[in-house]
């Protein structure tokens, strides 16, 4: 498996584009299109939030009931959530405009929106944007990056990943893009993520692969504990790699799963590290837990703790807050046997030994905690299960960004 | 029922004191003693955190197995959590010192600690502090306030409440104090809270009253989502009011319950409004829910949302975040029928009508959101159950306080 560039437009037959439609922000691209030259089987996972945005309801229907999907249209600035029937009609009109422009069936168009909740979409700008996106869409590395840039809101960098591997004697590519970076606590999915591949695979297996892998990747990320109304992660597979279609869980399926996992995990970590206001990616790895489920609860509890996140921002080795967060995970364990370590590119240090403070240098700890990627390792000494969760520090800028996001 | 001053020392026979023992902070009182002239029946609720602090484990044993309690000793600065066997021994020595000094049984002494996790308590300072507290303890209003001040950590004001009422022809007083103000997401209890009363009541009914009322008061507060290792709420009843002992759920029991509820709710709201870095008390009231349990989940989800809390700090009527938080509460509802209002001393305004934006003045909303107590009212239109939850805004100062709390 080779890591390559190109993101969502890396796989054969996929084209992409980004465009400045002037929906809400000024001087930045705010619409993106992903298009496949041939119909794709599609799989998707969506937010568990009861107040689902209009495009989430639209996409769930397409992914569930439609045999193929062929295009994804995305706008930023307005989330089209909390918009009632009028909002759903806007979403349908958006899909109609794309279907007509591309000459593809209405039920093969996926729609995604992100931004402020409770405002209506300006349809004139959306329609004009779609016309331009269809005109300028193109294949190639640059197109993927342009699309990844166009779906950003408070993100500071575009987030892409892609790999190439051989399956059944054919070269297969899996690529994707996603965006954060607030209201991020994916539950069944992430804010917005789009994966493309030229693999030939059955729709059922594609959905199964996605649903399974998301549990260990996007669903292990939290920026601020708020599961968005708009979480959407879809994968499109157009079969243009020419491999024999994967219809069983054979070796080829697991090869693809490995590639999908790499792309999902890479995107998930990029999203966590670029959380609103973040200065560091904060990873919690729990080892030797009694079960995988418990390891996940424990690691996620640590990266969700506001107090721990603030301590990471302050480069403060306040491991008591980590112990506190572990204790709140809803998992039974003996606090008096666990070990805790901090790890970064500057080194590794044990800060807690058998439940009490280890003999460590505060200076060395401070150095590790100043690294751009900080990892806490927790040894539960209960079994052999492990899990990772990804978040970021809690900073002044997170508060600043969210105290006046609408204005 | 009459609201009075005096806090934890308001009820007959209770004495209190605060003292500067120099445990961790400088130039501030950091130890408190509450003492009853006669033995009390005691009830308590404690943290659900798996990593329970030593004093929590000590107190659970006293409350469960000992017929009476007569004193509470509190220190701030160090939480005596994450301290292993050595920490538990410090806790026992603390209780021994108090028991000896006051001439009361060891198993009638309750111990509470709050502060940094993972450090050992300096026993010499604790012992000296206890000697001084016993020497200076006294009855009266001033003593209650001194004790309430001495248990503060990042709190900015002491938190007290007391009421007087007539039960069975006798004057009964119920008073209390508590402290916050970070790592506050009480689950079974609050950080540290102490209620005293001169009521005569059976131990079983006292525990039942406390366990029930805490569900609607302290457990509906969250500052930052982190349930502390040290949460402790105890109530001491010494019977000195001279009423006939309450042993059944008669009218007198419910009269007491009302008084206890007033004291608990008042303290809980004071704690929420004085959350770390807070500029406003943020109350979420959910009306017309299908059940009380659902109303509680919904209201708590709103006050726990980081994004909503940041919007309150920014005086931004970003109701979409409230809708998002409701949608994450784990409750099924129809987002297209709910109404949302903001309310403060400046007035009341509807911001969401049947799931979409109402026609409101941003200027008026901004004015209400600048009030020191901001309430969001949500009408679910599903039934007739309601609940309130209390939190605070998320500010730069919360991050500042917690980025360098240990230093």
């Amino acid at each position: 498996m080779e890591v390559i560039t190109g993101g969502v437009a890396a796989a054969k037959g996929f084209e992409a584009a980004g465009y400045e439609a002037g929906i809400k922000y000024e001087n930045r691209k705010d619409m993106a299109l992903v298009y496949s030259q041939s119909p794709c089987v599609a799989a998707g996972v969506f937010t568990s939030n009861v107040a689902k945005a209009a495009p989430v309801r639209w996409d769930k229907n397409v992914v569930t009931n439609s045999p193929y999907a062929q295009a994804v249209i995305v706008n930023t600035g307005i989330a089209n959530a909390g918009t009632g029937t009028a909002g759903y009609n806007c979403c349908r009109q958006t899909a109609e405009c794309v279907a007509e422009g591309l000459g593809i069936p209405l039920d093969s168009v996926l729609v995604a929106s992100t931004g402020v909740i409770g405002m209506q979409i300006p349809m004139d700008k959306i329609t004009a944007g779609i016309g331009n996106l269809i005109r300028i869409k193109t294949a190639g590395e640059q197109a993927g990056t342009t699309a990844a840039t166009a779906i950003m809101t408070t993100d500071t960098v575009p987030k892409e990943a892609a790999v190439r591997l051989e399956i059944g004697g054919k070269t297969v590519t899996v690529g994707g893009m996603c965006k954060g970076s607030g209201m991020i606590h994916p539950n069944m999915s992430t804010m917005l993520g789009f994966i493309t591949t030229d693999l030939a695979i059955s729709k059922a297996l594609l959905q199964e692969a996605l649903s399974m892998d998301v549990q260990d990747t996007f669903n292990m990320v939290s920026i601020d504990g708020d599961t968005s109304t708009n979480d959407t992660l879809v994968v499109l597979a157009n079969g243009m790699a020419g491999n024999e279609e994967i219809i069983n869980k054979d070796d080829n399926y697991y090869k693809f799963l490995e590639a999908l996992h790499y792309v999902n995990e890479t995107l998930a970590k990029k999203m966590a590290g670029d959380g609103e206001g973040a200065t560091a990616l904060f990873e919690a790895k729990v080892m030797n837990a009694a079960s995988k489920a418990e390891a996940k609860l424990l690691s996620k509890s640590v990266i969700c703790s506001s107090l721990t996140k603030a301590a990471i921002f302050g480069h403060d080795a306040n491991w008591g807050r980590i112990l506190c967060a572990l204790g709140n995970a809803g998992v039974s364990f003996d606090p008096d046997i666990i070990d805790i370590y901090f790890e970064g590119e500057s080194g590794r240090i044990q800060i807690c030994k058998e439940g009490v403070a280890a003999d460590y240098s505060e200076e060395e700890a401070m150095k590790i905690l100043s690294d751009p990627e900080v990892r806490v390792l927790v040894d539960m000494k209960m079994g052999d299960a492990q899990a990772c969760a990804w978040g970021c520090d809690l900073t002044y800028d997170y508060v600043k960004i969210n105290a006046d996001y609408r204005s």
Side-chain angles (χ1 to χ4, degrees), chain A residues 70-134:
Chain A
Q70 201 166 349
V72 185
I73 184 80
V74 190
N75 77 275
T76 71
I78 296 180
N80 200 0
T83 48
T85 309
Y88 194 79
N89 288 340
C90 283
C91 180
R92 165 180 280 274
Q93 282 168 45
T94 302
E96 281 167 356
C97 182
V98 171
E100 195 173 322
L102 290 169
I104 60 175
L106 176 60
D107 67 358
S108 73
V109 178
L110 294 159
V111 182
S113 301
T114 171
V116 176
I117 299 171
M119 284 175 70
Q120 296 291 348
I121 296 254
M123 276 313 297
D124 52 339
K125 289 177 177 168
I126 292 280
T127 308
I130 290 170
N132 281 293
L133 284 164
I134 290 175

Side-chain angles (χ1 to χ4, degrees), chain A residues 11-12 53 101-102 104 109 119 131 217 227 265 290 315 334 350:
Chain A
K12 203 177 289 179
L102 290 169
I104 60 175
V109 178
M119 284 175 70
T217 54
T227 301
E265 181 178 297
H315 307 155
D334 180 358
Q350 180 165 14

Side-chain angles (χ1 to χ4, degrees), chain A residues 189-208:
Chain A
S189 167
T190 178
M191 186 66 175
L192 293 183
F194 307 98
I195 315 289
T196 54
T197 178
D198 41 23
L199 182 78
I201 184 171
S202 74
K203 188 171 161 68
L205 278 184
L206 186 66
Q207 181 68 52
E208 188 171 337

